[in-house]
């Protein structure tokens, strides 16, 4: 894979090296499985994929900020490039309790994620479960690239599959992966969780480290808080803790009600169907009016608003307006820093170059349900296939930003 230095990747390298530090050796207690038959209100599962050289591993910082009690248990699957993977429990005194050694695992494999969810649910049963994933992300392409396992990653289909075969979770959080606040990713998990939290733009654990303690305090003070209210409060905590922090002006974070994603997709499909039947309308919009928004991951609502602003067809205007209203219903809460604008909670993949073979390419698009449920891919290919009104870029950039270190 070729490595390209773009302004975004240069910024993210700076973000990584600012966050990266030498991990000290934790105090690990070798013990038998500490599972319990007691049903708690919450189990928090942290999927810690730090399996690459010089990785920043948030494990120690998390343990400093959260602790288990009678209402919540914290479990971590930790995989570093320089040690074997294992399951850990964070006890009531912020101590790491070593539970089980896994040897070398592929964090980009569905089975690894599924086994972890199953282990957590069986050994630490709870009324509700939160799953948080750490590592790279790239929207519809998935997350958690494992550098020591042939750069394999969890596709969105693998994440949804691991969740559904373990009876789902209540909240899924992408706590560092970039670009996971995407319409394609949220739609994929619509039947796998109730609420979805992620950034539609750049992200990093630097945006999560300052709010983890507050989230932990909230769960202990209000263990019966609804999943929706908790999702909203997590975004509020990002808003509380980001201003004045380094890179706090570029944060984007949103909470999505996944039960609304089918409606979002249906109304957007109506828009795409109209433009497939009226290709000149879409060409005029994209080439003359909104081509600058075809920047890989434009804001979904802002794209629709620009289309609505310049569309002369009354029929199309009504359909676009319905899509905007449907989108607003799925957003539980959204926050973005002062340094970014036109961010409303979800992005959508939109390129106008190198699309003759399709926007959503294999292997990342395998079983991506958005592609079969909506004709957005067909519309963009029909419009721009073989022609690019924008400056041509290297096709490799459609893959994972290989030098993005989203810490």
């Amino acid at each position: 894979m070729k490595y390209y230095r773009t302004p975004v990747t240069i910024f993210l390298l700076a973000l990584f090296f600012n966050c990266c530090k030498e991990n000290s050796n934790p105090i690990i207690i070798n013990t038998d499985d500490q599972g319990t038959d007691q049903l708690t209100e919450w189990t928090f599962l942290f999927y810690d994929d730090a399996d690459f050289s010089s990785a920043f591993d948030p494990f120690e910082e998390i343990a400093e900020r959260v602790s288990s009690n009678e209402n919540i248990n914290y479990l971590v699957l930790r995989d570093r490039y320089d040690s074997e993977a294992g399951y850990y429990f964070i006890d009531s005194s912020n101590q790491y309790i070593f539970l089980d050694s896994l040897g070398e695992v592929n964090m980009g494999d569905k089975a690894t994620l599924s086994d972890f969810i199953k282990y957590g649910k069986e050994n630490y049963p709870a009324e509700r479960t939160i799953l948080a994933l750490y590592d790279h992300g790239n929207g519809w392409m998935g997350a958690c690239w494992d550098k020591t396992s042939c750069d394999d990653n969890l596709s969105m289909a693998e994440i949804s599959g691991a969740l559904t075969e373990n009876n789902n979770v209540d909240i899924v959080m992408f706590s560092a992966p970039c670009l996971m606040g995407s319409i394609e990713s949220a739609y994929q998990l619509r039947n796998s969780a109730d609420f979805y939290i992620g950034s539609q733009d750049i992200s990093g654990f630097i945006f999560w480290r300052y709010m983890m303690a507050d989230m932990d305090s909230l769960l202990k003070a209000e263990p019966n808080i609804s999943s929706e209210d908790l999702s909203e409060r997590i975004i509020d905590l990002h808003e509380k803790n980001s201003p004045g922090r380094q890179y706090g002006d570029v944060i984007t974070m949103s909470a999505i009600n996944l039960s609304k994603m089918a409606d979002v997709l249906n109304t957007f499909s109506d828009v795409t169907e109209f433009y497939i039947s009226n290709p000149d309308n879409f060409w005029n919009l994209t080439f003359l009016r909104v081509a600058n928004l075809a920047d890989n991951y434009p804001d979904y609502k802002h794209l629709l608003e620009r289309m609505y602003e310049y569309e002369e067809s009354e029929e199309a205007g009504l359909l676009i307006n319905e899509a905007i209203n449907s989108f607003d219903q799925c957003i539980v809460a959204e926050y973005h820093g002062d340094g970014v604008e036109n961010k409303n909670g979800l992005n959508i993949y939109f390129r106008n170059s190198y699309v003759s073979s399709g926007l959503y390419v294999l292997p990342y698009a395998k079983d991506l349900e958005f592609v079969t449920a909506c004709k957005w891919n067909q519309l963009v290919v029909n419009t721009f296939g073989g022609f690019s009104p924008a400056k041509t870029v290297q096709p490799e950039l459609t893959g994972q930003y290989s030098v993005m270190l989203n810490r």
Side-chain angles (χ1 to χ4, degrees), residues 159-227:
I159 295 172
S160 63
L163 290 168
T164 54
E165 67 188 24
N166 288 286
N167 297 317
N168 303 335
V169 297
D170 297 271
I171 301 173
V172 60
M173 307 194 311
F174 292 92
S175 51
C178 291
L179 302 169
M180 297 309 296
S182 76
I183 183 174
E184 300 94 338
S185 300
Y187 181 75
Q188 185 77 31
L189 299 192
R190 69 195 183 283
N191 297 318
S192 305
D194 294 330
F195 297 93
Y196 180 110
I197 297 175
S199 170
Q200 70 176 94
D201 210 305
I202 63 167
S203 189
F205 192 74
I206 192 171
F207 299 144
W208 288 82
R209 57 157 51 102
Y210 302 117
M211 56 76 64
M212 291 293 290
D214 286 343
M215 183 191 69
D216 180 64
S217 297
L218 172 61
L219 286 169
K220 288 170 177 166
E222 302 178 42
N224 296 318
I225 186 173
S226 72
S227 298

Side-chain angles (χ1 to χ4, degrees), residues 115-386:
D115 289 347
F116 177 49
I117 298 170
K118 180 179 180 181
Y119 180 92
K121 285 194 168 189
E122 289 183 349
N123 291 279
Y124 295 86
E127 294 286 351
R128 289 177 287 174
T129 304
I130 299 171
L131 172 67
L133 297 97
Y134 169 81
D135 187 28
H136 289 294
N138 207 358
W140 62 272
M141 295 182 185
C144 298
W145 272 257
D146 190 318
K147 296 295 183 181
T148 62
S149 298
C150 301
D151 214 21
D152 193 16
N153 81 290
L154 290 171
S155 69
M156 291 311 304
E158 287 179 305
I159 295 172
S160 63
L163 290 168
T164 54
E165 67 188 24
N166 288 286
N167 297 317
N168 303 335
V169 297
D170 297 271
I171 301 173
V172 60
M173 307 194 311
F174 292 92
S175 51
C178 291
L179 302 169
M180 297 309 296
S182 76
I183 183 174
E184 300 94 338
S185 300
Y187 181 75
Q188 185 77 31
L189 299 192
R190 69 195 183 283
N191 297 318
S192 305
D194 294 330
F195 297 93
Y196 180 110
I197 297 175
S199 170
Q200 70 176 94
D201 210 305
I202 63 167
S203 189
F205 192 74
I206 192 171
F207 299 144
W208 288 82
R209 57 157 51 102
Y210 302 117
M211 56 76 64
M212 291 293 290
D214 286 343
M215 183 191 69
D216 180 64
S217 297
L218 172 61
L219 286 169
K220 288 170 177 166
E222 302 178 42
N224 296 318
I225 186 173
S226 72
S227 298
E228 181 170 8
D229 287 346
L230 175 59
S231 299
E232 181 177 2
R233 296 281 289 277
I234 287 173
I235 304 304
D236 291 343
L237 291 176
H238 280 289
E239 183 173 4
K240 168 190 171 184
N241 285 283
S242 294
R245 305 281 189 182
Q246 191 169 29
Y247 305 114
D249 61 331
V250 296
I251 183 176
T252 64
M253 201 67 64
S254 60
I256 309 300
N257 184 338
L258 291 176
S259 70
K260 305 292 186 180
M261 285 307 301
D263 291 337
V264 172
L265 196 284
N266 289 337
T267 55
F268 185 59
S269 291
D270 290 340
V271 174
T272 59
E273 292 276 6
F274 173 86
Y275 283 119
I276 286 174
S277 300
N278 299 272
D280 288 344
N281 290 56
F282 190 67
W283 173 261
N284 290 336
L285 282 176
T286 53
F287 182 60
L288 300 176
R289 301 293 189 181
V290 297
N292 63 308
L293 295 183
D295 62 350
N296 286 10
Y297 298 92
D299 180 82
Y300 173 73
K301 182 178 179 179
H302 184 53
L303 176 63
L304 289 174
E305 288 174 335
R306 289 293 300 274
M307 292 166 68
Y308 182 84
E309 179 181 358
Y310 294 114
E311 179 55 69
E312 296 180 356
S313 165
E314 181 178 357
E315 179 184 356
L318 290 173
L319 294 174
I320 294 169
N321 193 52
E322 282 295 316
I324 291 172
N325 291 337
S326 179
F327 169 80
D328 288 338
Q329 296 301 309
C330 85
I331 301 296
V332 174
E334 178 276 327
Y335 172 68
H336 58 271
D338 294 337
V340 291
E341 58 183 9
N342 298 319
K343 303 296 181 181
N344 297 282
L346 288 176
N347 65 52
I348 185 169
Y349 194 57
F350 184 15
R351 296 180 60 83
N352 60 16
S353 58
Y354 286 99
V355 297
S356 58
S357 60
L359 274 174
Y360 302 98
V361 296
L362 295 173
Y364 305 107
K366 186 178 185 298
D367 299 322
L368 186 66
E369 294 177 12
F370 177 88
V371 176
T372 56
C374 176
K375 295 183 178 178
W376 172 245
N377 181 65
Q378 178 184 333
L379 173 62
V380 177
V381 172
N382 288 353
T383 306
F384 295 115

Side-chain angles (χ1 to χ4, degrees), residues 91-107:
D91 71 8
S92 59
S93 59
N94 304 96
Q95 187 81 46
Y96 316 156
I97 307 296
F98 176 75
L99 299 177
D100 194 11
S101 176
L102 303 178
E104 174 56 35
V105 298
N106 177 3
M107 297 291 277

